[in-house]
């Protein structure tokens, strides 16, 4: 099936006489016919036993997203941050390190640089545009993974996924890609060599600002038996001595994440949240097309405005990442634009406060147009040096174009600029 069909039909197939729409299984608990049956599930989890780490409604959505990304399995989480956290904790122990590009979401920078450091896990940040030799120099003997974003939030730098996959695999570690802004409709990182894909499903996948969620997708392609990951090939004494590569083959990564981390941390979404997410997924291909169409017109309008110092949108000819976007995002560069106002922070704030249609809010990738000043909000905790590394100028505005009539969006921009 193609993406439009997958978004409607993957993950859930009605039984004869069953509901057409995926039902909400609003239950924490499942009943079995014997004690032995329950015991067997704690050896090999072949059915739902407790909704702290699996649920039938959520499972349908997991299967749909895995199908869209081209993976063998997926695990939903309670937020995008939780997905990023678990994707690393499933690989790294205290004393290990991993590499991340510096142009990533500010909350992820803090998670990697501060919180994981408290766990004894080191994040080594690199310039995504550096040459391969410079990036390879950042590897250490204890490096366990490489992390990057398809489209950086909010710098909108396009990652050369094949380059980073090549580097990661040369050092026998997996590449993890945050594909939130692109979604699998615009880019499928697994096709370019990514091993793990994460999303904040709160963004375009949901699209309606209804639920917070995340997801981890396992490509099933990485060789966990290469000698660098004994946790996958040796008995897990916390789970009755199971050997993940032996028992679960190419689904070892995602099963280990569920049986170890989700079991212990319990950051699993509610069934109702998954139901709402599925409604968003069903219209994702249609919405992504409209987001891209609207955003390109708005980006061109910004380019013609005297008050705007620069516009970052990779679908624009002349954008530094236009060539990479043609390769990885040929059908569009999402609905988010980054602009830098002349006059810096004060001008940015005055422009945003003058908007009437667009909402000033801590969100992005919504059906409604919204704006944010990253230096004051999502990246507020970063130092000046980290702001520069993340591609965040004090005058930068993250402008998330919605699905309104594009002329109304442009008129709102025009009236605010005229007031300034």
């Amino acid at each position: 099936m193609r993406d439009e069909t997958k978004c409607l039909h993957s993950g859930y197939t009605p039984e004869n006489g069953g509901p057409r729409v995926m039902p909400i299984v609003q239950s924490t608990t499942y009943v079995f016919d014997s004690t032995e049956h329950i015991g067997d599930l704690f050896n090999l989890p072949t059915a739902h036993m407790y909704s702290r780490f699996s649920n039938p409604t959520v499972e349908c959505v997991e299967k749909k997203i895995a199908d869209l990304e081209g993976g063998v399995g997926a695990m939903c989480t309670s937020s995008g941050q939780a997905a990023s956290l678990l994707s690393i904790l499933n690989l790294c122990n205290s004393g290990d390190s991993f590499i991340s590009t510096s142009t990533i979401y500010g909350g992820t920078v803090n998670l990697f640089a501060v919180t994981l450091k408290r766990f004894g896990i080191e994040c080594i940040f690199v310039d995504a545009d550096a040459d391969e030799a410079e990036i390879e120099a950042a590897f250490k003997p204890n490096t366990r993974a490489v992390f990057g974003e398809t489209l950086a939030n909010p710098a909108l730098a396009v990652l050369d996924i094949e380059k980073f996959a090549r580097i990661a695999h040369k050092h026998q570690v997996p590449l993890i890609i945050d594909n939130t802004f692109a979604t699998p409709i615009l880019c499928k990182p697994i096709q370019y060599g990514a091993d793990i894909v994460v999303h904040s499903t709160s963004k375009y996948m949901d699209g309606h600002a209804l639920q917070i969620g995340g997801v981890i997708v396992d490509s099933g392609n990485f060789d966990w038996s290469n000698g660098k990951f004994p946790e996958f090939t040796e008995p897990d004494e916390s789970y009755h001595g199971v050997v993940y590569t032996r028992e679960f083959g190419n689904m070892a990564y995602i099963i280990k994440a569920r049986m170890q981390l989700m079991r212990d941390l319990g950051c699993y979404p509610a069934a109702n949240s998954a139901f709402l997410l599925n409604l968003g997924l069903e219209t994702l291909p249609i919405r992504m097309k409209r987001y891209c169409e609207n955003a390109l017109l708005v980006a061109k309008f910004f380019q013609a405005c005297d008050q705007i110092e620069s516009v970052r949108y990779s679908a624009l000819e002349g954008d530094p990442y236009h060539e990479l976007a043609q390769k990885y995002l040929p059908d569009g560069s999402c609905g988010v634009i980054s602009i830098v106002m002349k006059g810096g922070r004060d001008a940015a704030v005055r422009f945003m406060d003058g908007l009437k249609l667009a909402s000033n809010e801590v969100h992005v990738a919504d059906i409604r147009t919204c704006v944010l000043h990253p230096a004051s909000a999502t990246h507020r905790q970063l130092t000046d040096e980290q702001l520069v590394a993340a591609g965040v100028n004090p005058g930068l505005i993250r402008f998330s174009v919605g699905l309104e009539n594009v002329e109304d969006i442009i008129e709102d921009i025009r009236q605010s600029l005229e007031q300034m």
Side-chain angles (χ1 to χ4, degrees):
M1 295 187 293
R2 292 164 179 81
D3 284 345
E4 294 84 353
T5 310
K6 288 180 180 179
C7 283
L8 292 170
H9 294 279
S10 283
Y12 170 69
T13 302
E15 297 178 353
N16 184 37
R20 168 64 272 185
V21 176
M22 181 187 76
I24 302 173
V25 180
Q26 194 66 51
S27 179
T28 63
T29 312
Y30 310 89
V31 178
F32 301 93
D33 56 10
S34 70
T35 304
E36 182 182 8
H37 191 173
I38 295 176
D40 288 342
L41 291 176
F42 277 89
N43 289 328
L44 287 178
T46 56
H48 303 287
M49 51 184 164
Y50 198 60
S51 287
R52 189 175 74 233
F53 48 89
S54 71
N55 170 277
T57 303
V58 184
E59 181 187 34
C60 291
V61 177
E62 291 168 340
K63 289 180 177 178
K64 177 175 289 189
I65 295 174
D67 195 16
L68 285 168
E69 283 287 10
V72 296
M75 181 179 72
C76 284
T77 62
S78 56
S79 69
Q81 282 289 83
S84 296
L85 172 64
L86 267 57
S87 73
I88 297 297
L89 290 184
N90 204 33
L91 300 171
C92 294
N93 301 305
S94 179
D96 289 334
S97 70
F98 68 100
I99 288 171
S100 173
T101 58
S102 56
T103 44
I104 57 175
Y105 168 58
T108 310
V109 172
N110 197 73
L111 170 65
F112 288 174
V114 179
T115 302
L116 284 180
K117 184 178 180 180
R118 293 175 181 152
F119 288 17
I121 298 171
E122 179 189 16
C123 179
I124 304 165
F125 289 100
V126 298
D127 180 355
D129 298 328
D131 60 37
E132 294 192 28
E134 184 177 341
I135 296 169
E136 283 196 59
F139 278 80
K140 297 181 177 181
N142 65 356
T143 298
R144 305 291 295 267
V146 179
F147 186 98
E149 293 181 359
T150 306
L151 270 167
N153 175 14
L156 295 184
V158 179
L159 188 71
D160 190 342
I161 300 172
E162 286 188 338
K163 178 180 81 171
F164 274 85
R166 186 165 55 248
I167 296 169
H169 296 159
K170 181 177 180 181
H171 292 266
Q172 295 183 294
V173 300
L175 174 62
I176 305 171
I177 293 294
D178 184 332
N179 199 34
T180 297
F181 271 11
T183 79
I185 303 304
L186 299 181
C187 181
K188 299 182 190 297
I190 291 171
Q191 293 182 353
Y192 299 102
D195 302 291
I196 310 297
V197 177
V198 299
H199 288 268
S200 168
T201 61
S202 320
K203 309 306 188 296
Y204 284 122
M205 282 188 170
D206 170 290
H208 299 75
L210 292 176
Q211 57 82 40
I212 297 293
V215 69
I216 305 172
V217 181
D218 182 359
S219 72
N221 295 331
F222 192 79
D223 179 14
W224 301 108
S225 62
N226 65 11
K228 297 200 71 167
F229 299 91
E231 301 92 342
F232 290 85
T233 58
E234 296 178 2
D236 178 4
E237 298 305 329
S238 77
Y239 212 98
H240 313 293
V242 67
V243 176
Y244 293 102
T245 51
R246 182 181 65 201
E247 302 293 346
F248 303 107
N250 69 342
M251 292 186 69
Y253 176 90
I254 203 68
I255 297 294
K256 178 177 176 291
R258 191 182 299 273
M259 291 169 65
Q260 280 188 349
L261 298 172
M262 191 59 75
R263 177 195 64 189
D264 292 346
L265 301 179
C267 47
Y268 203 62
N272 191 65
S273 295
F275 179 83
L276 295 172
L277 170 58
N278 187 63
L279 291 180
L281 288 170
E282 289 181 340
T283 62
L284 184 61
I286 300 170
R287 288 187 291 107
M288 292 310 296
K289 184 175 185 295
R290 179 66 176 269
Y291 286 125
C292 294
E293 291 172 351
N294 278 3
L296 183 57
L297 292 172
V298 171
K300 289 179 178 179
F301 179 81
F302 276 134
Q303 277 189 318
C305 295
D306 293 336
Q307 296 102 317
I308 308 298
E309 180 179 306
S310 63
V311 180
R312 174 62 56 82
Y313 188 67
S314 60
L316 289 172
E317 293 185 11
D319 186 273
Y321 295 96
H322 184 69
E323 185 176 343
L324 280 175
Q326 293 300 294
K327 176 179 179 178
Y328 294 113
L329 301 158
D331 295 325
S333 297
C334 84
V336 183
I337 305 166
S338 286
I339 61 172
V340 175
M341 300 291 298
K342 293 179 180 177
R345 183 187 298 258
D346 290 342
V349 170
R350 282 191 289 124
F351 167 67
M352 291 169 61
D353 289 349
L355 294 167
K356 297 179 179 179
L357 177 67
S359 301
N360 195 335
E361 60 187 51
V362 186
H363 193 50
V364 67
D366 193 1
I367 55 173
R368 302 166 189 84
T369 298
C370 53
V371 293
L372 184 87
H373 186 242
S376 298
T378 55
H379 291 63
R380 189 182 187 90
Q381 76 279 10
L382 271 59
T383 65
D384 290 343
E385 292 77 13
Q386 287 176 319
L387 284 173
V388 171
V392 178
N393 182 294
L396 184 144
I397 294 170
R398 187 181 69 187
F399 198 99
S400 181
V401 179
L403 301 184
E404 301 93 345
N405 185 291
V406 70
E407 293 300 325
D408 291 331
I409 299 171
I410 290 173
E411 181 57 35
D412 189 34
I413 296 168
R414 182 184 290 113
Q415 65 83 25
S416 184
L417 292 173
E418 288 175 352
Q419 285 187 39
M420 294 176 65

